[in-house]
Amino acid sequence: MKVHSADIVISAVAPAQYPETDLPEIALAGRSNVGKSSFINTLINRKNLARTSSKPGKTQTLNFYLIEDALHFVDVPGYGYAKVSKTERVKWGKMIETYLTQREQLRAVVSLIDLRHAPTQEDIQMYQFLKYYEIPVIVVATKADKIPRGKWNKHESVIKKALHFEQTDQFILFSSVTKQGKEEAWQAIEAAIK
Ligand code: GDP
């Protein structure tokens, strides 16, 4: 998809605030600092529409971006931020669970995982959660430019093994620095919203 327009529509914390449209939605989830904002900005050809966070985990809202009047990206606040209180964490979990399990417009979740490291417990939980609810998932492994090409396979295997990755799911190596994986990511998203 060639993106010319992308605008934030609303930051929502509850279903009453979700936009009232039938447009398909693609949610984006990952731990803080995984490169989610950079991924969104790369896909929509912007430098900083989705803010790259200096304070990871700060945004505790679901941010809806309207893309080309064709779909919404829903930026799910990053998980795994140690400094939030337990109460906040529970609230955060409920908000996301509600959205992911009840939103009819949701077509797929892009689950971002850092290619450099083994998935965290939260990464694994997210993948298993999506599988349990039969929500289509596109795994995007970020920061591929930080790993030498010859080691990509090994890192990919580590991630897939830890997730119990299903081979029918999409796995995309991505870098917002080299733009590697951008076309593949758009293809997966476009297929999911068809
Ligand atoms: P978010 O918290 O998940 O939204 O992560 P950001 O997009 O803000 O990125 C976190 C940090 O990782 C920033 O310093 C980015 O510049 C850096 N980063 C994100 N994506 C990449 C990538 O593909 N390659 C490299 N080398 N750095 C990246």
Side-chain angles (χ1 to χ4, degrees):
M1 186 175 297
K2 273 246 181 305
V3 177
H4 306 96
S5 71
D7 294 289
I8 181 136
V9 184
I10 193 160
S11 295
V13 291
Q17 300 164 325
Y18 300 165
E20 282 180 46
T21 73
D22 294 329
L23 289 178
E25 290 172 4
I26 298 291
L28 303 110
R31 67 163 180 74
S32 304
N33 222 31
V34 70
K36 180 153 54 72
S37 312
S38 303
F39 174 81
I40 296 173
N41 287 324
T42 300
L43 261 64
I44 64 180
N45 307 312
R46 295 291 179 87
K47 283 220 158 55
N48 57 3
L49 179 69
R51 132 190 75 178
T52 43
S53 44
S54 52
K55 286 185 183 157
K58 259 285 171 197
T59 2
Q60 297 294 319
T61 53
L62 295 164
N63 294 332
F64 289 74
Y65 295 92
L66 177 63
I67 314 293
E68 287 297 289
D69 293 322
L71 75 154
H72 284 119
F73 275 173
V74 183
D75 186 359
V76 172
Y79 49 77
Y81 186 47
K83 289 212 176 106
V84 301
S85 68
K86 184 148 181 250
T87 330
E88 273 181 87
R89 209 179 268 257
V90 170
K91 233 167 66 185
W92 171 91
K94 288 218 172 94
M95 175 179 79
I96 290 168
E97 199 174 313
T98 302
Y99 172 77
L100 293 177
T101 57
Q102 293 179 18
R103 183 66 165 167
E104 276 181 22
Q105 290 86 331
L106 179 66
R107 295 287 185 277
V109 175
V110 173
S111 183
L112 297 118
I113 294 179
D114 194 321
L115 182 65
R116 295 172 299 172
H117 313 295
T120 64
Q121 216 37 50
E122 280 115 335
D123 291 330
I124 298 168
Q125 272 168 17
M126 175 59 78
Y127 185 78
Q128 294 306 328
F129 177 91
L130 296 170
K131 296 278 63 170
Y132 179 81
Y133 285 100
E134 299 181 350
I135 301 166
V137 50
I138 301 161
V139 173
V140 167
T142 61
K143 310 192 186 185
D145 60 284
K146 291 207 172 185
I147 300 283
R149 192 176 279 264
K151 291 192 176 159
W152 284 348
N153 268 340
K154 184 167 162 274
H155 286 252
E156 180 172 334
S157 301
V158 168
I159 293 174
K160 286 181 168 174
K161 196 163 173 221
L163 295 180
H164 297 292
F165 185 79
E166 290 181 11
Q167 289 305 331
T168 45
D169 287 335
Q170 293 253 11
F171 188 100
I172 299 170
L173 292 170
F174 184 82
S175 162
S176 61
V177 172
T178 65
K179 318 279 185 229
Q180 169 193 352
K182 179 181 172 183
E183 293 311 318
E184 213 185 325
W186 264 124
Q187 277 170 20
I189 290 167
E190 286 180 73
I193 63 174
K194 273 219 172 91

